[in-house]
């Protein structure tokens, strides 16, 4: 763990915290959006907000892959899992996400064969071991996970596997950021760019944010010091009146991205004309589907999914939370009807969801906690 | 945007999620419309504080099972397990002994104080580095008795066997149970055997029950904790859970970590001889240290502040937890105590624990405060603070 500890040093954090505070102009408020759910999780898990001056606030963005799956889409997945001879495989995060009629867990309790896997390759293994079953992988995620899904399809094709398919729900980050920037209630001073996604797409695709929307973006790593350092870089840009795309996560993110990974995605998948995002509605060209050449690995083609849209519950404000318009606790059902145990919105399910992170880790007022943790 | 009408292909056929609307109505019916006017120390609550107060009320509401069927989360030892026990079993069996909700029942029979407990074991795989389902089943029940301050005496053992299970494996499990029982100074005096068809259980499940005698004049309990008390653990946490996870081979990590399964009665004896300041002890099994601390914080209406830096955790456990995206504080141990002692007795308790081989790695990990009540707070290694709540969902099924 030595590699990790280096990026969790409290002394260095203290120094950065002072530098950030020194850059705050009196009377000015700064809000930065961390686009990625991984960042949200890190921020809460380490209590990072304790290091930020009161005038700097972090707004949680739409980058949690579990959170953006609309209910209707999950109902379709559950429909597939309930077809004869199907084994549905999914990341653990998805298991508790409620659709219009319950979750994978509920469906599993009723008899569907739904298994948790750590990677799509695990599904492939299950497919090889069960030749008389149809094994489906519930593919979710941004450009970060799309390459491994695509690789798995290529592997299945190379092996001539007949009983494996993916239910493709991969989404792309840029259209979502664009939707937020175009939204009239946007009040942000800058962005922490999603480090993992950027290892694939690089930093170039963000340039329109600086050029057309005049907001700085710093591509940030996932350790707490990375995030503090990135906030510092954003503050420096604002002080200097610059808005540029910068890369704090150089140890992992190449400026031009990973061409090979992009090629693999492109080989297997193409952009959908539109896709529904939970809470954000339909966004054009914001998701990937399996290309026709690989249709025999496309669960959408194999199973005639109902494709019925399910309206978000009236009280649910996931959209506003995902866009950073309201804080999680400002949602009317936060913590009462909607809790991690009985989630109504998706942001409450995944540990990367803004509501779950706030409920699980940050549900208290700072003053009382400071008092309690004083030695 | 959620309320807006979006015209789009596929929109024509649109449903709403009835269960969600129902949940919202149900929660709203428990709201107190006058809450906004409540004052805290003469001050009106801020909006955020009102929300927090609302959450606190909901958390204290009587538990209700929302699911129509049992899911794996009901067995995880976290929130769903508590809800199931409170809303179903406690409701059906209600009596003063059960209501104490400790790891063991305390009974007075003919002048003697007895501790009585039971536990079932479904661990997968059956054999793992450092132990197997057999010693786990003996140690688990011995420990549930010992943490109540009892000297464990007699155990029962019930076996549910799957058709086709190798007799040699069963022999090995029985041998381990015999050794564990001898080490713990207990005898297995009664038992039961059932066989089910292939596929109806996974190899072997074991249930053990145990009786012990409470000879010391002490009353321990999660509800006896006070601000100023200290929180200790008897050694590195999470070893058992991570060992079993790795033994399943799902993570592709090589490691020589072993389960910590061990009988704790002797260690507890040493501790109780050294100090009378012990308020409560638990062995940190399913749900880990975090779950126990949450139970204590709620039962005693106190805040518990844990210092992450002080929590002894092996590198392997930290590494595997990082990969799984879980917190070692939630990972099961099978031979580790969580102890709350009177603050003035901290040094005595720590020295006593460290004097025994099973307590060598003991450490003080936190302190009890009065505010905010019922919450467990963590001072993170990074220097921030956060809540450590009861676990939701189940990252590690069938760990014991
Ligand atoms: S509290 Fe629940 S419904 Fe409200 S925004 Fe969060 S996840 Fe969505």
């Amino acid at each position: 763990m030595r590699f990790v500890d280096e990026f969790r040093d409290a002394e260095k954090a203290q120094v950065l915290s002072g530098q950030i505070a020194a850059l705050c102009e009196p009377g000015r408020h700064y809000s930065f959006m961390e686009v990625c759910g991984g960042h949200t999780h890190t921020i809460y898990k380490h209590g990072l907000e304790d290091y930020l001056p009161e005038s700097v606030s972090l707004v949680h963005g739409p980058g949690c892959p579990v959170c953006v799956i609309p209910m209707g889409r999950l109902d379709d997945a559950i429909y597939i899992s309930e077809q004869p001879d199907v084994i549905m495989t999914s990341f653990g995060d998805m298991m508790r996400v409620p659709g219009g009629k319950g979750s994978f867990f509920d469906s599993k309790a009723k008899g569907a064969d739904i298994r948790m896997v750590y990677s799509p390759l695990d599904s492939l293994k299950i497919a090889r071991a069960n030749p008389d079953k149809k094994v489906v992988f519930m593919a979710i995620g941004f450009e970060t996970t799309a390459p491994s899904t695509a690789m798995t399809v290529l592997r299945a094709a190379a092996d001539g596997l007949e009983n494996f398919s993916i239910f493709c729900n991969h989404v792309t980050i840029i259209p979502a950021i664009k939707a937020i920037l175009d939204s009239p209630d946007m009040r942000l001073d800058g962005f922490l760019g999603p480090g993992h996604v950027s290892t694939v797409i690089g930093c170039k695709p963000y340039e329109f944010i600086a050029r057309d929307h005049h907001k700085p973006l710093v591509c940030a790593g996932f350790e707490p010091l990375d995030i503090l350092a990135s906030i510092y870089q954003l503050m420096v840009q604002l002080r200097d009146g610059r808005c540029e795309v910068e890369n704090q996560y150089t140890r992992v993110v190449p400026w031009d991205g990973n061409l090979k990974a992009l090629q693999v995605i492109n080989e297997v998948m193409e952009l959908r004309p539109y896709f529904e995002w939970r809470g954000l509605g339909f966004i054009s060209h914001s998701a990937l589907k399996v290309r026709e050449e690989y249709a025999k690995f496309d669960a959408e083609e194999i199973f005639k999914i109902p494709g019925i849209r399910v309206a978000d519950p009236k009280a649910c404000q996931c959209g506003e939370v995902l866009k950073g318009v309201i804080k999680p606790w400002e949602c009317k059902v936060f913590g009462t009807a909607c809790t991690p145990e009985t989630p109504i919105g998706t942001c409450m399910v995944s540990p990367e969801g803004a509501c779950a992170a706030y409920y699980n880790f940050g549900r208290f007022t700072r003053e009382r906690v400071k008092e309690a943790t004083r030695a | 945007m959620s309320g807006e009408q979006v015209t789009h292909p596929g929109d024509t056929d649109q449903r709403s999620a009835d269960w969600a609307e129902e949940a919202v109505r149900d929660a709203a019916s428990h709201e107190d419309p006058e809450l906004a006017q409540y004052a805290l120390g003469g001050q009106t609550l801020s909006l955020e504080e009102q929300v927090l107060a609302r959450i606190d009320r909901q958390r204290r509401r009587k538990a209700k099972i929302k699911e129509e069927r049992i899911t794996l989360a009901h067995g995880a030892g976290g929130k769903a397990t508590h809800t199931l026990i409170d809303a179903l079993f406690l409701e059906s069996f209600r009596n003063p002994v059960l209501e104490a909700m400790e790891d063991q029942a305390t009974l007075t029979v003919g002048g003697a104080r007895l501790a009585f407990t039971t536990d079932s074991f479904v661990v997968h795989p059956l054999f793992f580095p450092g132990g197997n389902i057999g010693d786990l089943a003996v140690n688990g029940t011995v420990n549930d008795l010992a943490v109540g301050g009892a000297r464990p005496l007699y155990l029962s053992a019930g076996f549910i066997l799957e058709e086709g299970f190798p007799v040699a494996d069963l022999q090995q499990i029985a041998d381990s149970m015999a050794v564990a029982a001898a080490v713990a100074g207990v005898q297995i005096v009664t038992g039961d055997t059932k066989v089910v068809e292939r596929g109806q259980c996974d190899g072997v499940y074991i249930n053990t029950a145990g009786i012990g005698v409470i000879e010391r004049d002490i009353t321990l309990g999660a509800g006896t904790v006070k601000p100023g008390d200290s929180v200790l653990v008897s050694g590195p946490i999470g070893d058992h859970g991570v060992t079993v996870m790795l033994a399943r081979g799902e993570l592709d990590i090589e490691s020589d970590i072993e389960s910590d399964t061990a009988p704790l009665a002797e260690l507890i004896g040493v501790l109780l001889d050294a100090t009378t300041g012990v308020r409560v002890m638990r062995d940190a099994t399913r749900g880990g240290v975090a779950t126990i601390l949450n139970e204590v914080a709620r039962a005693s209406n106190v805040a518990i502040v844990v210092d992450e830096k002080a929590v002894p955790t092996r590198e392997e456990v930290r590494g595997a937890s990082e990969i799984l995206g879980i917190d070692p504080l939630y990972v099961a141990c099978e031979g580790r105590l969580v102890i709350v002692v009177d603050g003035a007795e901290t040094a005595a308790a720590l020295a006593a624990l460290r004097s025994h081989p099973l307590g060598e790695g003991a450490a003080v990990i936190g302190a009890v405060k009065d505010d905010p009540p019922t919450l467990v707070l963590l001072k993170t290694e990074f220097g921030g603070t956060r809540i450590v709540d009861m676990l939701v969902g189940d990252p590690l099924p069938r760990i014991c």
Side-chain angles (χ1 to χ4, degrees), chain A residues 315-318 321 328 331-335 338 344-348 355:
Chain A
C316 161
Q317 289 180 279
C318 293
V321 169
C331 171
K332 287 186 284 293
V333 291
F334 177 85
C338 187
I344 287 181
T346 36
C347 314
M348 197 53 109
C355 293

Side-chain angles (χ1 to χ4, degrees), chain A residues 151-266:
Chain A
M151 280 298 293
T152 309
V153 170
L154 291 179
R155 177 83 63 88
D159 294 359
L161 220 59
E162 297 284 331
N163 66 333
F164 175 80
S165 62
I166 64 165
F167 184 45
C168 188
N169 295 287
H170 283 293
V171 283
T172 54
I173 194 79
I174 297 291
I177 298 180
K178 226 183 206 138
I180 286 166
L181 282 164
D182 289 340
S183 141
D185 6 67
M186 210 273 308
R187 257 172 273 108
L188 295 169
D189 298 287
F191 290 88
L192 295 170
H196 287 156
V197 171
S198 310
T199 53
V200 178
I201 66 173
C203 296
K204 273 207 187 125
Y206 304 119
E207 278 166 356
F208 78 98
I209 299 173
R211 193 182 56 232
D212 305 340
H213 297 271
H214 311 292
K215 304 284 176 201
L217 178 142
V218 175
C219 201
F222 286 85
E223 291 302 327
L225 277 182
D226 288 328
I227 294 177
L228 277 182
S230 303
I231 293 171
Y232 172 72
Q233 277 178 250
L234 284 171
M235 296 290 291
V236 171
Q237 286 204 38
L238 289 178
R239 180 199 61 195
D240 300 347
R242 285 182 294 132
C243 39
E244 292 163 15
V245 175
E246 290 180 332
N247 186 8
Q248 180 273 335
Y249 202 24
T250 46
R251 65 181 190 277
V252 177
V253 173
W255 189 264
D256 292 318
N258 180 339
L259 208 63
K260 258 216 180 109
L262 288 170
Q263 275 165 353
V264 171
I265 300 178
N266 202 33

Side-chain angles (χ1 to χ4, degrees), chain A residues 81-136:
Chain A
S81 72
E82 286 168 353
Q83 297 312 298
D85 296 325
V86 165
I87 301 177
M88 176 61 85
T89 56
S90 162
F91 293 135
D93 287 14
M94 266 327 282
M95 298 298 289
R96 295 176 40 255
V97 178
K101 292 180 188 149
S103 64
F104 269 161
F105 257 141
D106 294 323
S107 167
K108 184 167 150 69
K110 282 186 207 139
D113 191 346
I114 305 176
R115 304 186 191 176
M116 276 184 258
V117 290
Y118 293 97
S119 95
L121 288 173
D122 294 344
S123 311
L124 214 56
K125 261 190 229 159
I126 295 175
R128 286 200 195 95
N130 296 277
D132 51 338
K133 299 274 186 182
K134 298 174 207 154
V135 176
V136 183

Side-chain angles (χ1 to χ4, degrees), chain A residues 1 5 8 45-46 50-51 75 96 99-100 274 280 308-309 311 314 341 358 361 363 368 374, chain B residues 1 8-9 11 13-15 19 21 48 83 315 318 322 369 371 380 382 385-387 389 392:
Chain A
M1 295 291 287
D5 290 338
R8 296 182 182 176
K45 185 173 164 217
H46 297 277
D50 287 7
Y51 283 107
D75 285 358
R96 295 176 40 255
Y274 52 82
L280 298 178
I308 297 173
R309 189 171 175 253
K314 281 188 224 57
E341 194 186 7
Y358 183 85
F361 294 153
R363 194 187 64 225
R368 284 171 81 187
R374 195 169 296 153
Chain B
M1 207 184 265
H8 218 280
D11 259 19
D13 209 357
Q14 179 172 321
R15 289 188 289 111
W19 63 266
E21 305 296 351
E48 188 174 9
T83 306
E315 290 289 293
R318 287 183 63 190
E322 192 85 17
K369 308 267 174 155
D371 189 77
T380 68
F382 183 61
T385 26
R386 67 166 160 96
I387 288 184
D389 207 342
V392 173

